[in-house]
Amino acid sequence: MGRRARDRRRQQQQRPERGGDGGGDGDQAGWAGGYPEIVKENELFERYYRELGIVPAGEWGAFMAALREPLPATLRITGYRSHAKEILHCLKEKYFKELQNLEVDGQKVEMPQSLSWYPEELAWHTNLSRKILRKSPQLEKFHQFLVSETECGNISRQEAVSMIPPLLLNVNPHHKILDMCAAPGSKTAQLIEMLHADMNVPFPKGFVIANDVDNKRCYLLVHQAKRLNSPCIMVVNHDASSIPNLQIDVDGRKEVLFYDRILCDVPCSGDGTMRKNIDVWKKWTTQNSLQLHGLQLRIATRGVEQLAEGGRMVYSTCSLNPIENEAVIASLLEKSQGALELADVSSELPGLKRMPGITKWKVMLKDGQWFEEWKDVPSNRQTQIRPTMFPVKDEEKLKAMNLERCLRILPHHQNTGGFFVAVLIKKSPMPWNKRQPKVHQKLPQRTGDTEVTAANSDNSSECITEEPTLAENEESKTMKELQNSDTEQSKKEGVCGPPPSKKMKLFGFKEDPFVFLPEDDPLFLPIQKFYALDPSFPKMNLLTRTQEGKKRQLYMVSKELRNVLLNNSEKMKVINTGIKVWSRNSDGEQFGCAFRLAQEGIYTLYPFIHARIISVCIEDVKILLTQENPFLSKFSSETQKKVKDMAMGSIVLKYDPDPEKPDDLQCPIVLCGWQGKTSLRAFVPKNERLHYLRMMGVEVFKAKRKEEESESKTEEEVQHRLAQTEEGMDVEDKERDLVTKMEAEIGEESSQSPVESSAMEVENKIEDLDQSSKNANSHVSQESKDADTSNVKD
């Protein structure tokens, strides 16, 4: 019998003696998050970090004790939404108060506390673990609130230290931002929020390009970013260490895109995450850091190459190891020859306890052997250990680097995970790239087909004098192929398709192209007339994801992202960009417009719409959100008057708060709706409905009861269930057929007749469409993917 088998049998024999959860005290196991079998000991880890001295004298016991405790759950309220204050008020006055004096599994639940260093009380932490939140009946209401608000993008459940890098980037709405290793996307979401600091500006001049090397994780990234409904985010799939230079059109000339801000949160060994990733305790070895050091340095180097002069790059890891941290920064500073400097951020984020970077460290192999200098490393070990892993020996150079300006967050100081952050500022071009790479190629001037232009005129090779690399040679070869490729027809149609597989050796799903609407597209004129769009509406930024057949969805990106898309489609694999603003109705033409408004993009579109807007009071909003298809007679007399002379079709429902009624909801709401012959309804996803109702003080919590499925449904229960399935009501053709049929049935009855029969029919058909509705909502592959592929990507 092998060692592992013996260990497994020993654990199985001991398990009955350990209590309910299989380890130690049953209650403690539950709070620990379900890892009772793993012993939180690692002799090599303790020996290594004791020797390096990263923990202040006298604090080692507290440091190790903190690592063995479960990590507090933390949440962040999205800061750019006008509803942030309302959510904060709801949390403090309702949900947090209900946690007072509450005991779970014999332990008292501590009141959530705000993170003192996070602005405006928008981040909180609690001692509740995820397991307790999911399993405890007393916390079911709070858990449902967190899940629902997270789904609609109002709350992000994010580790506290993970919130630090975006804050130190000092992002402004006009900044061009690159997130090099973005998945799963919590930091990307922060960056998007910062771009939309002013909600009155629908299209900030800045944008975020979020990249990840893992194709599948890119779709997780899409899911995170999509919750924020921003036209300024693009998700791409590249190896961060060789991410291509992008080009943009500047006054008719192509120039290389340089970023104002770059987030470089590199892959790491993750020993700062021991409190939540318990496996690290048994898997940790110094070999992990030695293997990752080279990759981390290559990614950071590629980042500073693409940083604009005067720009800021934040390098971060969730590791405490100087081999992954100070060694990478020191090597980068040394070869930059003064082009980079570490920023002093000691005065930023007051309240955050931090340790300065260290200037002396040693390298240790997994067998415990130490090396203080490169010259001491034997030749047979020089493939594992590299010169860049050691500290600089020249004292003057070392002092000029100011490595103490780096930040190391220790777990026991503020009950967090471990983390490392360094903020770099680029003062001049990198020495191997003294001439900033620019392409001085005049773009061809065209008339009447502006998006084609940029659409990808010949991509000439760039004037870059960097050190030659394999990736560069491949890129140069690819550019030459592009010059001779026969793609003129697609360019003339404004099509930004995925790069050919032979030119981009990337694996994953094949993406649909991004097709911008031509200036004279007849599709847009009825839309413009029906909604009385403002002349300033940027129609050139509208795109679809199909080249053939009917355009079923219309998406929108910012002008700046459109520029990036049109000039780089042959060298960049774009996974997702844009927000959905219109969806086609199968019978829409009879209502004056073939496209109805989509809730995802309504806050972007609303400033440009001058027709079909109905102002509603708060009582009307409650009716719209709690009833599936309410009759007009149920609404206020003012609302009835406004819709009396309005034609059937898609409408905007706007609620403006009344300052004289402070007890009412004090943030504006914009909803997409549909006006029928005798009814008025809202097209809003389930979680967004629940969000608005909570903000208005309506109790939406419903305990889980298995017997509900077998009970007969009353009309009210049917309507509640329909409201919950609204998220699946985005299969445009079939949905509109159902609504049109429902309107016809209602029109034949008196205004007082019940709608139970038609509502039940709609509900049954919606259940049949549930799978396809999820696919339609993904936007990742809207028109041509099969159902199985879409499910994998979501």
Side-chain angles (χ1 to χ4, degrees):
M1 184 183 294
R3 177 176 58 82
R4 292 182 180 177
R6 288 197 300 271
D7 291 344
R8 192 159 50 245
R9 173 174 289 185
R10 189 179 302 113
Q11 289 177 359
Q12 291 172 350
Q13 291 172 348
Q14 294 174 352
R15 202 163 287 162
E17 304 173 2
R18 290 185 174 181
D21 277 303
D25 180 70
D27 294 341
Q28 291 289 344
W31 284 72
Y35 291 93
E37 294 90 357
I38 295 178
V39 178
K40 296 179 181 179
E41 298 286 347
N42 189 306
E43 184 180 348
L44 189 65
F45 174 87
E46 295 195 41
R47 177 187 169 192
Y48 182 71
Y49 282 114
R50 272 185 183 272
E51 181 70 22
L52 291 181
I54 66 166
V55 179
E59 296 183 17
W60 181 259
F63 169 73
M64 291 302 299
L67 284 178
R68 294 186 176 101
E69 289 294 319
L71 188 68
T74 50
L75 60 90
R76 180 175 56 80
I77 302 170
T78 56
Y80 83 87
R81 300 212 167 185
S82 58
H83 305 150
K85 292 182 180 178
E86 294 292 333
I87 297 172
L88 180 59
H89 181 266
C90 184
L91 272 173
K92 293 169 72 174
E93 298 301 320
K94 182 179 180 182
Y95 292 97
F96 288 168
K97 283 187 176 181
E98 292 177 0
L99 298 179
Q100 286 181 338
N101 304 318
L102 184 65
E103 288 192 5
V104 177
D105 293 343
Q107 291 194 34
K108 185 177 179 180
V109 175
E110 296 178 8
M111 284 294 293
Q113 302 292 323
S114 63
L115 299 179
S116 59
W117 46 268
Y118 202 95
E120 301 180 30
E121 285 190 311
L122 291 178
W124 294 72
H125 68 102
T126 172
N127 68 333
L128 295 170
S129 72
R130 289 189 175 187
K131 181 177 180 180
I132 292 295
L133 277 172
R134 286 196 303 264
K135 302 297 183 183
S136 173
Q138 304 102 303
L139 298 172
E140 187 178 355
K141 183 188 295 188
F142 185 45
H143 182 246
Q144 283 190 17
F145 167 80
L146 292 179
V147 170
S148 178
E149 294 296 330
T150 299
E151 277 301 310
C152 55
N154 296 308
I155 281 180
S156 178
R157 297 163 79 178
Q158 179 181 356
E159 189 177 346
V161 290
S162 173
M163 305 174 191
I164 297 172
L167 293 176
L168 292 178
L169 270 177
N170 289 347
V171 170
N172 290 317
H174 66 275
H175 282 154
K176 298 181 286 291
I177 307 167
L178 173 64
D179 191 349
M180 301 189 74
C181 309
S186 55
K187 298 181 188 70
T188 307
Q190 274 182 278
L191 298 174
I192 297 171
E193 294 168 27
M194 294 171 183
L195 284 182
H196 292 272
D198 185 357
M199 282 300 292
N200 294 319
V201 180
F203 294 102
K205 292 184 177 180
F207 56 79
V208 177
I209 294 180
N211 173 71
D212 202 86
V213 68
D214 190 313
N215 185 262
K216 291 182 179 179
R217 282 168 62 87
C218 281
Y219 296 104
L220 179 61
L221 181 55
V222 169
H223 176 72
Q224 282 273 40
K226 186 186 173 189
R227 296 184 300 124
L228 297 174
N229 297 329
S230 170
C232 304
I233 170 71
M234 179 190 293
V235 177
V236 299
N237 180 203
H238 288 276
D239 178 355
S241 64
S242 58
I243 191 167
N245 288 309
L246 302 184
Q247 300 172 11
I248 53 175
D249 170 22
V250 180
D251 298 326
R253 300 199 311 177
K254 280 190 176 182
E255 295 191 0
V256 172
L257 171 64
F258 288 96
Y259 300 95
D260 303 300
R261 298 290 186 268
I262 293 180
L263 178 57
C264 187
D265 186 53
V266 297
C268 64
S269 61
D271 58 18
T273 68
M274 281 180 156
R275 300 181 68 176
K276 65 174 183 179
N277 297 324
I278 316 297
D279 280 350
V280 176
W281 280 99
K282 63 179 182 180
K283 294 180 179 179
W284 187 93
T285 170
T286 55
Q287 192 67 23
N288 299 337
S289 297
L290 300 180
Q291 291 172 345
L292 286 166
H293 171 85
L295 174 64
Q296 293 163 338
L297 182 56
R298 290 195 302 274
I299 293 175
T301 301
R302 189 66 186 131
V304 295
E305 285 175 353
Q306 299 204 332
L307 188 64
E309 290 183 41
R312 176 178 282 213
M313 184 178 91
V314 169
Y315 175 90
S316 62
T317 72
C318 48
S319 169
L320 301 172
N321 200 324
I323 305 301
E324 303 177 65
N325 299 328
E326 284 92 347
V328 172
I329 297 300
S331 177
L332 197 58
L333 290 171
E334 186 175 27
K335 68 179 183 178
S336 77
Q337 299 177 16
L340 300 173
E341 71 172 357
L342 276 169
D344 183 1
V345 293
S346 57
S347 61
E348 299 182 33
L349 303 184
L352 176 65
K353 295 182 180 178
R354 63 199 89 182
M355 295 297 297
I358 61 176
T359 56
K360 301 292 181 184
W361 62 88
K362 297 184 288 185
V363 178
M364 186 174 78
L365 293 173
K366 63 180 180 180
D367 60 6
Q369 186 178 2
W370 289 96
F371 298 99
E372 293 194 16
E373 296 184 42
W374 166 247
K375 65 181 182 180
D376 300 332
V377 180
S379 58
N380 65 332
R381 296 291 192 180
Q382 290 183 2
T383 54
Q384 294 176 277
I385 300 178
R386 304 301 301 153
T388 53
M389 297 177 182
F390 293 90
V392 177
K393 289 301 178 184
D394 188 318
E395 290 296 330
E396 289 187 6
K397 278 187 179 180
L398 186 63
K399 185 177 180 180
M401 288 181 179
N402 297 312
L403 289 179
E404 68 280 356
R405 292 181 177 177
C406 299
L407 282 67
R408 182 175 274 102
I409 310 298
L410 298 181
H412 63 292
H413 283 168
Q414 287 181 304
N415 197 15
T416 64
F419 212 71
F420 176 88
V421 186
V423 183
L424 293 160
I425 293 178
K426 187 173 182 179
K427 300 191 295 182
S428 61
M430 304 306 289
W432 57 89
N433 187 22
K434 280 298 182 182
R435 283 190 301 161
Q436 293 284 29
K438 291 185 179 180
V439 179
H440 300 291
Q441 178 187 0
K442 198 73 175 177
L443 289 176
Q445 298 298 317
R446 298 177 185 260
T447 58
D449 196 12
T450 53
E451 68 282 315
V452 181
T453 79
N456 306 317
S457 23
D458 295 339
N459 291 324
S460 63
S461 58
E462 301 168 2
C463 304
I464 305 176
T465 56
E466 296 178 6
E467 295 171 339
T469 63
L470 179 60
E472 226 173 58
N473 292 335
E474 288 181 357
E475 182 179 345
S476 177
K477 183 179 179 181
T478 299
M479 298 293 275
K480 291 178 181 178
E481 290 176 358
L482 288 176
Q483 290 176 351
N484 300 320
S485 65
D486 186 18
T487 58
E488 284 303 314
Q489 185 60 35
S490 65
K491 294 174 184 177
K492 288 181 180 179
E493 295 172 356
V495 177
C496 303
S501 58
K502 67 179 181 180
K503 296 174 185 174
M504 296 285 285
K505 295 181 180 179
L506 293 168
F507 301 96
F509 300 98
K510 181 181 178 182
E511 294 302 321
D512 288 334
F514 297 85
V515 186
F516 285 92
L517 291 189
E519 188 175 3
D520 55 353
D521 195 316
L523 192 73
F524 181 72
L525 193 58
I527 296 175
Q528 186 177 34
K529 183 178 179 181
F530 190 73
Y531 297 103
L533 295 180
D534 193 89
S536 64
F537 179 75
K539 63 180 179 180
M540 301 302 293
N541 298 348
L542 289 173
L543 60 87
T544 65
R545 298 297 302 272
T546 180
Q547 290 178 262
E548 300 176 357
K550 280 189 175 182
K551 299 176 176 67
R552 299 185 181 278
Q553 322 277 356
L554 294 182
Y555 304 95
M556 181 160 246
V557 295
S558 66
K559 179 180 68 175
E560 289 74 17
L561 271 189
R562 176 179 177 275
N563 192 348
V564 174
L565 261 177
L566 290 173
N567 287 285
N568 300 279
S569 66
E570 296 293 342
K571 62 193 300 188
M572 177 175 64
K573 183 173 182 181
V574 181
I575 301 297
N576 185 272
T577 190
I579 53 170
K580 182 164 61 177
V581 288
W582 279 291
S583 298
R584 181 183 286 275
N585 303 329
S586 59
D587 299 321
E589 287 84 354
Q590 64 178 303
F591 303 118
C593 181
F595 288 84
R596 70 168 177 86
L597 297 164
Q599 183 66 27
E600 295 98 303
I602 190 59
Y603 284 96
T604 299
L605 275 184
Y606 178 74
F608 301 100
I609 298 175
H610 296 309
R612 305 195 62 78
I613 300 174
I614 299 175
S615 295
V616 292
C617 64
I618 194 166
E619 294 304 323
D620 289 342
V621 176
K622 291 178 182 178
I623 293 172
L624 286 164
L625 297 177
T626 55
Q627 300 185 33
E628 174 56 24
N629 208 53
F631 292 116
L632 291 174
S633 58
K634 294 186 177 182
F635 293 93
S636 64
S637 57
E638 291 81 2
T639 299
Q640 293 184 47
K641 290 178 184 177
K642 292 172 184 175
V643 302
K644 184 178 180 180
D645 299 324
M646 191 176 290
M648 292 174 60
S650 185
I651 57 172
V652 179
L653 301 158
K654 176 69 185 300
Y655 164 75
D656 289 305
D658 186 351
E660 297 181 1
K661 297 180 180 179
D663 293 336
D664 286 351
L665 183 66
Q666 291 299 304
C667 64
I669 294 178
V670 182
L671 305 176
C672 291
W674 183 270
Q675 181 190 341
K677 291 180 181 178
T678 59
S679 63
L680 193 65
R681 65 175 297 181
F683 278 119
V684 182
K686 179 188 91 172
N687 286 319
E688 199 163 340
R689 287 182 180 232
L690 298 179
H691 160 70
Y692 291 132
L693 290 171
R694 287 191 193 97
M695 298 306 101
M696 291 184 289
V698 178
E699 183 57 67
V700 296
F701 171 73
K702 192 173 185 179
K704 298 176 182 177
R705 296 192 300 271
K706 293 182 180 179
E707 64 270 20
E708 281 181 350
E709 295 180 4
S710 60
E711 292 177 355
S712 60
K713 300 289 188 296
T714 63
E715 177 184 354
E716 181 179 350
E717 287 171 332
V718 170
Q719 290 176 345
H720 177 72
R721 188 174 174 187
L722 278 168
Q724 289 186 325
T725 56
E726 179 61 40
E727 189 176 21
M729 292 289 289
D730 205 16
V731 187
E732 283 71 17
D733 288 342
K734 297 180 181 179
E735 175 194 53
R736 182 54 49 230
D737 290 340
L738 295 179
V739 174
T740 304
K741 183 176 180 180
M742 190 172 177
E743 289 286 358
E745 291 176 355
I746 294 173
E748 295 172 359
E749 302 172 354
S750 67
S751 60
Q752 301 300 321
S753 62
V755 296
E756 182 175 354
S757 59
S758 59
M760 284 293 290
E761 183 179 358
V762 173
E763 178 188 339
N764 293 335
K765 293 182 180 179
I766 289 172
E767 288 177 347
D768 294 337
L769 299 176
D770 183 56
Q771 186 62 43
S772 57
S773 68
K774 291 179 181 177
N775 296 339
N777 275 333
S778 69
H779 165 55
V780 176
S781 180
Q782 296 293 342
E783 276 84 17
S784 64
K785 300 251 187 330
D786 58 54
D788 292 338
T789 303
S790 294
N791 286 337
V792 173
K793 293 165 75 168
D794 285 344

